[in-house]
Each structure stands twice: as structure tokens, then as C-alpha cells.
Amino acid sequence: MIEELVQEAGLLIVFLAGISYVAVGIYLLQTAARKNGGPSVFLGWALLCNGFSFGFSEIGFVASAEQFIEPLTFISRLWSAACSVLIALFAWKVFRRHSRWGGLAVGLSFALIAIGLTISALEGDWEGYAPLSSRGFWFEWAGGTAPFAWLSIESLREYLASRHRVSLGLIDPVISNRYFLIGFYAGLASMTYFIYIPMYIVYELHGVWSGWLDLSLGVVEVASVIALGIAFSTPPFYRRWIGASAASTPKT
């Protein structure tokens, strides 16, 4: 009984995460359009791609259309790949625009994912749920995880540097906190890739999805997209809280 409730809750929160990615992605694209573009375009499209990936990965199971699960899941992987590459582009353009290695990092991420998808296709592993037997899985996993880890490190590093400027009154505390929220989002997104490993192992061995892992994944996904939504559309109460926290920081 408890396991059934957990599975239903997991499915519900995963769908909520997918819808949230699309909603926040559209908001970011609209905001970028009003500001004549900018790096946030990459982030907006990344979230949209992530939302589309969720949709394609789940629709076959929800509709009980087993004959379409493999092609739909592979399309989902393509959308997920696009999301990761766009995240890498965002990290490059925001934090390492003038660095040659930033562009190389984007290319490496793309190459790893492409190699992984190609190997999986050649092996006949269209779903990508076989970490124990598929060599392509780990290439795709590494290429997909790295951009989020990179963005998290860059954002949190910038946040720590900006805290000193906040104490001197040289930067808006909300802007400083935005770096933290983006880093927090990217860190949680990286965590989801580590949740995928035991989730897929269970599925590969037993042909079932773990309700507890589904629920954990959904909670982490929703928390990450909430953090990102607050970063770019800061509610008044949060702005007041961040301002009050900055005001209580000793000047140095």
C-alpha cells in the first residue's frame, strides 16, 4: 500500500517537474526577448528541452503504448542532450566568454553525448536504461552531467566573490543571491544524474521503476526549478529577506 502511494506520488511530482521546466523556460525566453536576447536565451531553451525530454520519456508509459516506448525514449534522450549542451553554452557565455577552454568544454560535452548516443544506437539500446551492460550509457551520462556541475561551480564561485562586494555596497544583494540560486539549481540538476544510476540499475535488473527513487528524483527536480524561478523572478518577500540579510552583514 505504501509502495503504491509512493509510486503515485513519484509520478505526480515528476510530471509537475516537467511542466515547471516548460513554464520557467517560456518565462526566461520572454524575459530575454524583452531585453533583446542575452545568455539567458540558452538557459530558457535548456529548460524547455528538459521539459520536452520529460514528456517524451513518460508518454509511452502513461499511454501504455509499449510499441512506441523505445523511439519516444530515444527522442527524449535527444532533448536531454540538447538541454545539457545549452547549459554548457550558458556557462561559457556568462562566465568564460573570453576563454578558449570554455568553448572546448562545450565541444567536449557535445562529443561525449554524441558518442554515447551513437554507441547506444549501435548496441540497440534505444532507451538508455542499461548502465550495467551499455558502454554508451556512461559517455552520455558524463557528457550530460558535466555542464551542470560546471555551471554550479562557476555560479557558486561568483556568489562567494560577490558577497564581499555586497558588504561594501557595490552590488545589489539580490544580484549576488542570483548567482547562489543558479548554482543551487545546477547542483541539484547534477544530483539528478546520480539518482538516475541506481534508478536505471533497478530497472535493468528487475524491469520496474523504484517508487522511492522516482519520488526523490521528482523532489530534487522541483526544488531545482523553483530555485531557478526565484533567481529570475524574485518575489517581493524574498527580495525583502535578502535585503535584510545584506543589511545585517558587517561592513569591512
Side-chain angles (χ1 to χ4, degrees), residues 60-234:
F61 293 100
V62 172
S64 298
E66 295 184 3
Q67 69 274 27
F68 297 116
I69 287 178
E70 284 193 352
L72 287 172
T73 304
F74 192 75
I75 293 172
S76 166
R77 294 167 69 186
L78 295 176
W79 281 117
S80 180
C83 171
S84 291
V85 173
L86 286 163
I87 289 293
L89 283 168
F90 177 75
W92 177 31
K93 294 299 183 181
V94 172
F95 298 104
R96 299 292 173 178
R97 176 184 293 271
H98 302 295
S99 172
R100 180 179 297 178
W101 75 258
L104 293 175
V106 176
L108 178 60
S109 174
F110 176 83
L112 285 171
I113 294 171
I115 290 170
L117 290 170
T118 300
I119 293 175
S120 291
L122 292 174
E123 292 175 336
D125 177 28
W126 299 102
E127 293 179 298
Y129 299 148
L132 298 178
S133 59
S134 172
R135 292 171 297 173
F137 174 87
W138 294 105
F139 284 96
E140 183 185 0
W141 183 88
T145 309
F148 291 99
W150 178 22
L151 177 58
S152 180
I153 292 169
E154 294 283 10
S155 297
L156 294 178
R157 183 187 64 82
E158 189 65 30
Y159 167 70
L160 292 175
S162 70
R163 290 300 299 159
H164 182 65
R165 295 196 292 271
V166 168
S167 67
L168 296 174
L170 299 177
I171 186 175
D172 186 335
V174 174
I175 299 299
S176 171
N177 186 256
R178 181 173 296 166
Y179 289 118
F180 168 77
L181 290 172
I182 293 174
F184 184 63
Y185 150 75
L188 290 180
S190 302
M191 188 186 302
T192 63
Y193 279 83
F194 288 91
I195 297 175
Y196 287 145
I197 295 173
M199 178 184 293
Y200 292 167
I201 288 175
V202 169
Y203 184 77
E204 184 178 7
L205 292 175
H206 306 291
V208 296
W209 296 105
S210 166
W212 289 104
L213 289 173
D214 260 348
L215 183 60
S216 299
L217 177 67
V219 169
V220 173
E221 293 276 5
V222 170
S224 71
V225 77
I226 288 175
L228 196 61
I230 292 175
F232 287 93
S233 180
T234 311

Side-chain angles (χ1 to χ4, degrees), residues 9-23 54 218-219 221-223 225-226:
L11 284 173
L12 179 61
I13 200 165
V14 165
F15 277 116
L16 177 61
I19 293 170
S20 299
Y21 277 122
V22 172
F54 268 83
V219 169
E221 293 276 5
V222 170
V225 77
I226 288 175

Side-chain angles (χ1 to χ4, degrees), residues 23-48:
V24 176
I26 291 173
Y27 173 80
L28 287 177
L29 290 175
Q30 290 176 335
T31 302
R34 290 196 295 269
K35 297 179 179 179
N36 297 318
S40 59
V41 169
F42 295 120
L43 191 55
W45 277 112
L47 293 182
L48 275 183

